[in-house]
Amino acid sequence: MIAITHIGAYLPENRVSNLALLDKFETDESFIRDKIGVVQRAVKTPEQKASDLCIKAFENLTTKADVDVEQIDCCVVITQNPDLNIPHTSAIVHGALNLPESCASFDISLGCSGYVYGLSILTAFMQANGFKTGLLFTADPYSDIVDPDDKNTALIFGDGATVSLLQAEQPGLVALGYDFGSKGAGYKNLVNENKLYMNGRAVFNFTAGVVPKSIISLLHKLAIDKDDVDQWFLHQGSKYIVDTISARLRLDPEKIVFGMQDYGNTVSSSIPMLLSEQIENIAIGQKVAMSGFGVGLSWASAIFEKKGN
C-alpha cells in the first residue's frame, strides 16, 4: 500500500492584482471574481526556475513531516516549463537536496492533468521496485511564458509548486482507482510557441464535455456513489469551469474545494495545492475525488480513501 502522507507547498510572496487590470482588458470586477475566480496571482521572481520552486515546497514539507533524505527512493518532477531542456529538472532537484545516488529521478511532461497521472505512475513505479519513500513534485512557472497582454491567459495563471510525500505501509490517502483520457487532435487549443496561447472557448467545451463523463465512469467502475465522496478537488482552471463541472454532476457545493482566488491557476500544482491545506484534516475512511484536465488535451480522475495503519 502506497499512500500520500504529507504535502508541502510553496507560493511566491509577490502578488499581481487582476482588479488593477480591469481597464486594460476592458472587463469588470464581476468577471474577475465570478467567472475567472482569480483576484490576484502569485508571481515568482524572474530568476526563479522550476527547481527553485520545488526546493521551496520541500522546505515546507519538512515543517510537516520528518523526512530523511537518505531514505528517498525516487524523485519525480511534473513540469512542462523545466529549468533547461537538458538535463531533466528532477536531476537538478536531486542534487540540490543532496538525495542519495540510489534515488531514481525523472520528469513527467504533463500540465493540468499531471498530478493525477503522476500519482498513478509513481505509485506503480514504487510498488514494482519495492520502494518505500518517494517525492512527487509539481512546478510549472507559467509567468515565464504568459503574454501579459493576452486576456485569455494573463488573468488566470499563477506560479507555485508542491511536493507530495508517498510512503509504503503508512497512514494516508490511498488510491482506489483512476480514469484517464486524451484528445490529442485538440492540442493546438492550448500550446506554448514562444508565448502561451489558449483557445478559451474550445478548452472550456472540451472540459465541460469530458470531465463529468470521466468522473461518472470512475464512480461506476468503483461502485461508489457520488454522495459517498467527502471532498472534491477539481483542477482550478477557473471558477466558471469548476462551477460548471459541479453543476453537471450535481455535486454538493459544500464538498467542492476551491481556493485559486488569491494565487491563480497553478497548472499541475492546483490540486495538490488545495490538498496540502486539507490532508491533515481528512478522517480515516473518508473519500476524496480529484480530476485534472487541460494541456494535451488530456484528463485524469481518481478517487482516494484515507487509510490507517
Side-chain angles (χ1 to χ4, degrees):
M1 180 184 78
I2 305 293
I4 310 169
T5 58
H6 301 277
I7 300 176
Y10 169 69
L11 289 166
E13 293 182 4
N14 182 44
R15 295 291 189 276
V16 175
S17 172
N18 278 345
L19 299 180
L21 300 173
L22 297 181
D23 290 341
K24 176 179 180 177
F25 290 114
E26 300 180 343
T27 189
D28 56 33
E29 187 170 341
S30 176
F31 179 78
I32 297 296
R33 294 186 182 276
D34 301 328
K35 295 295 185 180
I36 295 178
V38 180
V39 177
Q40 58 181 0
R41 291 167 285 114
V43 179
K44 68 177 184 63
T45 61
E47 64 271 14
Q48 282 183 307
K49 301 298 183 184
S51 65
D52 298 310
L53 305 186
C54 288
I55 293 164
K56 289 287 189 180
F58 182 81
E59 291 173 357
N60 179 252
L61 177 66
T62 61
T63 68
K64 301 176 178 181
D66 183 12
V67 183
D68 182 356
V69 294
E70 291 299 321
Q71 300 301 313
I72 303 298
D73 297 306
C74 45
C75 167
V76 175
V77 175
I78 299 171
T79 186
Q80 292 189 318
N81 290 278
D83 291 25
L84 304 163
N85 288 329
I86 298 174
H88 42 299
T89 299
S90 57
I92 299 172
V93 174
H94 179 283
L97 297 181
N98 197 29
L99 301 180
E101 292 186 4
S102 58
C103 174
S105 299
F106 58 93
D107 288 4
I108 297 173
S109 177
L110 278 167
C112 308
S113 64
Y115 183 64
V116 182
Y117 267 96
L119 288 172
S120 180
I121 292 168
L122 188 52
T123 297
F125 184 68
M126 290 175 65
Q127 290 173 332
N129 293 284
F131 291 160
K132 301 297 184 183
T133 307
L135 297 175
L136 179 64
F137 291 91
T138 60
D140 258 309
Y142 264 36
S143 62
D144 285 340
I145 61 172
V146 165
D147 181 350
D149 295 322
D150 179 11
K151 179 181 178 180
N152 286 327
T153 57
L155 297 172
I156 297 174
F157 295 98
D159 297 329
T162 72
V163 55
S164 297
L165 179 63
L166 274 62
Q167 294 179 289
E169 308 307 325
Q170 294 293 323
L173 291 174
V174 177
L176 301 180
Y178 293 88
D179 181 79
F180 303 100
S182 302
K183 190 175 182 179
Y187 82 90
K188 288 186 178 180
N189 289 308
L190 187 49
V191 64
N192 173 31
E193 293 178 325
N194 297 320
K195 287 295 182 181
L196 187 67
Y197 164 78
M198 181 174 69
N199 182 333
R201 174 53 56 182
V203 172
F204 171 80
N205 289 339
F206 152 75
T207 298
V210 303
V211 175
K213 292 178 182 178
S214 171
I215 291 172
I216 290 171
S217 175
L218 180 59
L219 289 168
H220 286 170
K221 181 171 69 175
L222 298 177
I224 294 174
D225 190 282
K226 67 181 180 183
D227 292 334
D228 292 330
V229 175
D230 297 282
Q231 287 184 305
W232 294 86
F233 294 86
L234 303 174
H235 167 58
Q236 309 282 280
S238 72
K239 188 176 186 299
Y240 188 52
I241 286 175
V242 172
D243 289 346
T244 298
I245 295 170
S246 303
R248 293 194 176 188
L249 289 170
R250 297 183 180 179
L251 302 179
D252 181 349
E254 294 185 359
K255 294 183 177 182
I256 307 299
V257 183
F258 184 80
M260 68 185 296
Q261 59 268 24
D262 292 324
Y263 51 81
N265 174 353
T266 53
V267 197
S268 58
S269 295
S270 76
I271 293 174
M273 191 70 69
L274 295 178
L275 196 54
S276 70
E277 301 173 356
Q278 303 287 333
I279 190 169
E280 307 295 339
N281 299 320
I282 299 172
I284 301 298
Q286 287 191 323
K287 296 180 179 65
V288 301
M290 58 185 76
S291 186
F293 40 85
V295 179
L297 299 169
S298 65
W299 65 93
S301 304
I303 296 177
F304 283 72
E305 182 175 334
K306 184 70 170 289
K307 302 280 190 180
N309 284 323

